Amino acid sequence: MKRFRVNSRCCETPEQTAASWCTISSPSTSELAVRFALWPCSSPSVTITSSRRSCLTAAKERGQLVFLEGLKSCLDLLFGEKEKQSGQPSPLQFISESASNLKALFDFVRTSVTPAGSESWKGPVLLVDDLSVLLSLGATPVAVLDFIHYCRVTVCSQLKGNIVVLVHSNEDSEDEENELVVNSLCHHSDLILWVEGLATGFCKDVHGQIKIIRRASLELTAEQDLVQIYQYKIQDKNVTFFARGLSAAVL
Amino acid sequence: MAAAPAAGGTVRGRGAISFQRKAAAGSRLAAVAGTRPSVRHGQLLLSSGLPSLDCVLGGGVAVGTLLLIEEDKYGLYSNLLFKYFLAEGVVCGHDLFVASAKEHPDNILKELPAPLLDDTYRNELAEEATAVKSEDFEDSMKIAWRYQNLPKMEASPTTSTKFGHYYDVSKTMSPELFQSIKWHSFYLPEELSLQPEVKTCNVNSAYARLLQSIQRIIYQEGFDGSDPQKKQKNILRIGIQSLGSMLWGDDICSSDTPEDIHSLTKFLYVLRGLLRKSLSACIITVPSHLIQNKAIMERVTNLSDMVVGLESFIGSERETNPLYKDYHGLVHVHQIPRLNSLICDVSDTKDLAFRLKRKLFTIEWVQDNYLRQERNIYPAGFSYLLKQKDSAWGEGSLQHSTFLMSFLAKATAFASRLVRHSEPHKQTGSGRIRQTAELRMWCYGHRQEAPGLLVIST
C-alpha cells in the first residue's frame, strides 16, 4: 500500500499549514511562500486549481511566491552552457558533485525566505514537494535530514514560519533510507497527514483514508497525540472528505 | 510542454515544463498526426501501439510522459510491446529514437510488425470474433451474474479506430513505410568507440552519453519548440531497450549491493525533465526481475509516469492452471499518472492477462475466460443433468440446492482429509481397504447415488 505523508513543523498557528489535499489558499498579504517542487506540478501533494492559478501568478510577480522547479534546474545544470555559471551555484548542484550535502539547496532556501530590504513578508511557508526524490538523486539520508534541520532552524525558529514536506513511503518497503527519513521526520513533526489506500483494497467510492495526527507536544509527556481518521474520494478538481462508514457507497 | 500557452494563463514563462490546460488550444494541437487530446485532462495522447493497452493506461500515452515496462523473464513479450510502440510511430509518421546496448537499432527496426491496414483481413478477424462472442453469451450468467455487466476490453479490430492500429506479429513491416520516417539510433558499443570523453555528472557514463544524445536530438530537431520557424510539429518517440541491464555498464542487475545505486534513478529524473520539455514520449524496458535490490525498483516506479509489469507463464506453474489456459501471461499495472487533475484514469478491472492469439497481441480481463467456462465448476455428471431440458435438477429446484450443499460438504471433507492425513489419492494395491474418498460411480450393490456424487468409505 502506498502512503504519502505530509509532515509539517509549525511554530505559531497550526491552522496556517497547508494540508496535502486542500488547494493552496491564496497567500495572504503577510505570508511569503517558497515552493520547492522537485516534481512536476501535477502531484498529489499540492493542487493548484485554475481559479487559484491566477492568484499564484500574481503572487509570483509580487515576489511573494518563489518557485524552484527541480526538473528545469537540473536540466540547466546538466545541459546548460558555460556562461550560465555566474558565480551563484545551482541549488541542485549536489547531483553533479560527489559531495552529497545539500548546502547549495539550503542556501537557496535561506536567501529566498529571508525578507530582503523593503519587503515586509512575515511568516514564510516552505513547501517541499517530495523529499524522497532527493534520495533518488544521490543525497544520503543524513544529508537530507540535515537539510530539513537547517530549514527548520531558519524558517521555524528564526522567522516563525512553517514547513510542509511530502514524503512517499510503502508499507512493506525495502527502501531503508527512505524509511529512515520518514521516521525521523515523523518524530520531529507537529502535524502528520498520513494518506493511504484502504486496507481492504480498491473501492470506487472511497479512494483512501487520511489520518491526521496532531502531536500534543514534542517532549516526552503523558499527553496522547490526537488522531483523527477520515476517508476521502478524489474527483477531478476536488476531494471530498467524510467520516469512516459514511461514503456514498453506504449512504 | 512546449506549445501554445493555455487559456488559463501561464504560471511559468517560455519553455514551460509543467502541464497546462489546453482547453482552448486543443484544436490546434490535434493537428499533430497520430495524436488526440484527452477528454479528461486535455493532454495530447499517443497510442502505445496496442489498443487494449491504451484502454488500460487511460486512453493512451500522454505526450511528455515515460512508459516503463518491467520485462518478463525471457524478455519476449516486453520486446514485442517495445516494437509495437515503435511501429505505431512509423505508421503515424512520428520521428523515432531507438537506443539499445544489445541489438543494433537498425536490426530492431527491420523487425517491426506489419500493420493491419488491409480492410479485408480486418473484416475476417472481426467475423471470427463476433462468432465466438455470440455463442458464449447466448444465455445469461447464472452463477457469476454480477460480472455480466462489467465492460469488456476492446481486444479485436471490430470497430474502426483512427487512433491506434493493429499489428500482425508474423509479418514484418515493409520498407516502404520507412521512407518518410526520420529515425535516430543510439547503439552503445558504437557510441563508446566514437567519443572518448563526456561530462558524466556522477552518472554512469553510458547513461550520460544517452542523455546527451537525446538532448542533442531534441534540441537540433526542434522538438522543444526552440525553433519557431518549424511549422509542422511532430512527435519524437524514444525507445530504450533493457535499461539497467549489465550491457549498459550498470551492476544493479548482477549484485545485491551495487556500486552506484543512483545512476538509474538520476537518469530517469533527467530524462523526465527532457520529456516534459518537448513533444516526445518514451518507452523503456527494464529487466526488473533481475534487480536484486528492491528499493531501486520502488524508486524507479516513483520516478516514472506509467509502469506496466509483464509476467509470462513460460516455465512457471501457472502454465497448467486451467484458469489461465488461454493466456500467455499476466499484466500488472503499477502506476498511472495524474495529469492536470487530482484523479487518475484507473480502470476498474484489475486482473489483466495478455495473450498472443491469431497473430494479435491482446490484453484482457482474466475473468472473461472464467466466465466462458462457467459451467465447469460442476462435477461432470451433474453438468450433464443440468443440460437436459426441464430437468428436475434445474436451478431453483430443491434437488439442485440440496445436491450442491451435500456436494460442497463432501468436497471440503475430502480435501481436508487429504491435507490432514496426507492420504494417497490412488488406491494402493488391489486390497479391499479403501483409505480415502474417491470420486466413483457406484454400479454394484449399494443404493444408486446420483452419478458423480462423492462417496466417503470407511
Side-chain angles (χ1 to χ4, degrees), chain A residues 125-200:
Chain A
V125 176
L126 170 66
L127 294 153
V128 181
D129 190 344
D130 223 335
L131 213 57
S132 315
V133 176
L134 281 178
L135 289 174
S136 306
L137 288 177
T140 55
V142 176
V144 171
L145 292 172
D146 283 343
F147 166 71
I148 288 291
H149 178 75
Y150 274 86
C151 288
R152 239 188 3 240
V153 167
T154 315
V155 174
C156 296
S157 311
Q158 289 175 1
L159 297 167
K160 306 282 183 278
N162 300 326
I163 303 184
V164 182
V165 171
L166 171 77
V167 283
H168 280 249
S169 121
N170 255 343
E171 209 173 57
D172 46 0
S173 162
E174 293 197 12
D175 195 351
E176 288 161 5
E177 295 183 347
N178 197 27
E179 292 301 307
L180 186 74
V181 170
V182 168
N183 283 332
S184 178
L185 280 178
C186 279
H187 283 300
H188 288 118
S189 310
D190 290 306
L191 175 66
I192 304 175
L193 298 171
W194 183 336
V195 179
E196 55 189 347
L198 289 178
T200 43

Side-chain angles (χ1 to χ4, degrees), chain A residues 184-220:
Chain A
S184 178
L185 280 178
C186 279
H187 283 300
H188 288 118
S189 310
D190 290 306
L191 175 66
I192 304 175
L193 298 171
W194 183 336
V195 179
E196 55 189 347
L198 289 178
T200 43
F202 176 72
C203 171
K204 230 171 24 170
D205 290 300
V206 179
H207 288 150
Q209 77 179 20
I210 177 170
K211 227 191 258 188
I212 304 178
I213 305 175
R214 285 176 199 271
R215 311 293 290 273
S217 85
L218 289 176
E219 291 103 40
L220 288 170

Side-chain angles (χ1 to χ4, degrees), chain B residues 49-124:
Chain B
L50 206 60
S52 38
L53 185 61
D54 288 342
C55 283
V56 168
L57 295 176
V61 175
V63 171
T65 57
L66 172 62
L67 168 62
L68 194 104
I69 307 277
E70 291 183 359
E71 288 182 9
D72 51 309
K73 210 154 146 210
Y74 302 103
L76 298 169
Y77 299 108
S78 55
N79 224 10
L80 212 53
L81 282 187
F82 186 75
K83 289 189 182 148
Y84 273 119
F85 189 81
L86 297 175
E88 183 68 26
V90 172
V91 171
C92 293
H94 299 155
D95 286 6
L96 299 180
F97 180 102
V98 185
S100 170
K102 194 163 50 169
E103 262 181 275
H104 199 282
D106 294 346
N107 293 338
I108 297 178
L109 288 174
K110 280 196 193 114
E111 290 169 5
L112 293 184
L116 288 175
L117 296 171
D118 190 21
D119 280 332
T120 52
Y121 186 60
R122 282 171 70 147
N123 289 339
E124 258 177 50

Side-chain angles (χ1 to χ4, degrees), chain A residues 12-238:
Chain A
E12 291 183 343
T13 42
E15 287 81 17
Q16 278 178 7
T17 55
S20 78
W21 294 109
C22 305
T23 57
I24 299 183
S25 54
S26 46
S28 61
T29 47
S30 66
E31 277 182 16
L32 169 66
V34 175
R35 174 134 184 269
F36 171 159
L38 286 168
W39 214 230
C41 192
S42 48
S43 74
S45 72
V46 186
T47 60
I48 306 182
T49 59
S50 51
S51 62
R52 306 288 189 194
R53 199 176 285 144
S54 44
C55 295
L56 286 171
T57 326
K60 197 169 182 203
E61 261 133 47
R62 282 201 295 268
Q64 200 176 4
L65 170 67
V66 177
F67 189 80
L68 168 66
E69 193 153 359
L71 283 182
K72 189 151 176 285
S73 170
C74 188
L75 288 179
D76 286 338
L77 171 70
L78 292 181
F79 301 119
E81 296 92 23
K82 290 288 186 254
E83 306 108 48
K84 287 205 181 134
Q85 307 280 344
S86 57
Q88 212 187 23
S90 162
L92 290 183
Q93 192 172 300
F94 69 96
I95 298 180
S96 60
E97 283 177 4
S98 50
S100 68
N101 63 357
L102 300 171
K103 187 165 187 306
L105 195 55
F106 169 66
D107 288 334
F108 169 78
V109 168
R110 192 183 46 194
T111 46
S112 319
V113 160
T114 345
S118 59
E119 296 155 7
S120 61
W121 308 119
K122 294 196 271 288
V125 176
L126 170 66
L127 294 153
V128 181
D129 190 344
D130 223 335
L131 213 57
S132 315
V133 176
L134 281 178
L135 289 174
S136 306
L137 288 177
T140 55
V142 176
V144 171
L145 292 172
D146 283 343
F147 166 71
I148 288 291
H149 178 75
Y150 274 86
C151 288
R152 239 188 3 240
V153 167
T154 315
V155 174
C156 296
S157 311
Q158 289 175 1
L159 297 167
K160 306 282 183 278
N162 300 326
I163 303 184
V164 182
V165 171
L166 171 77
V167 283
H168 280 249
S169 121
N170 255 343
E171 209 173 57
D172 46 0
S173 162
E174 293 197 12
D175 195 351
E176 288 161 5
E177 295 183 347
N178 197 27
E179 292 301 307
L180 186 74
V181 170
V182 168
N183 283 332
S184 178
L185 280 178
C186 279
H187 283 300
H188 288 118
S189 310
D190 290 306
L191 175 66
I192 304 175
L193 298 171
W194 183 336
V195 179
E196 55 189 347
L198 289 178
T200 43
F202 176 72
C203 171
K204 230 171 24 170
D205 290 300
V206 179
H207 288 150
Q209 77 179 20
I210 177 170
K211 227 191 258 188
I212 304 178
I213 305 175
R214 285 176 199 271
R215 311 293 290 273
S217 85
L218 289 176
E219 291 103 40
L220 288 170
T221 60
E223 293 166 39
Q224 290 269 347
D225 299 338
L226 178 65
V227 178
Q228 292 169 309
I229 303 184
Y230 295 103
Q231 289 179 341
Y232 61 84
K233 176 177 166 137
I234 315 176
Q235 282 127 20
D236 199 21
K237 297 264 194 92
N238 194 14

Side-chain angles (χ1 to χ4, degrees), chain A residues 38 47 97 136 175 177, chain B residues 12 202 265 269 298-299 342:
Chain A
L38 286 168
T47 60
E97 283 177 4
S136 306
D175 195 351
E177 295 183 347
Chain B
R12 277 137 236 126
N202 262 355
T265 44
Y269 185 75
E298 285 174 24
R299 291 183 185 174
L342 289 174

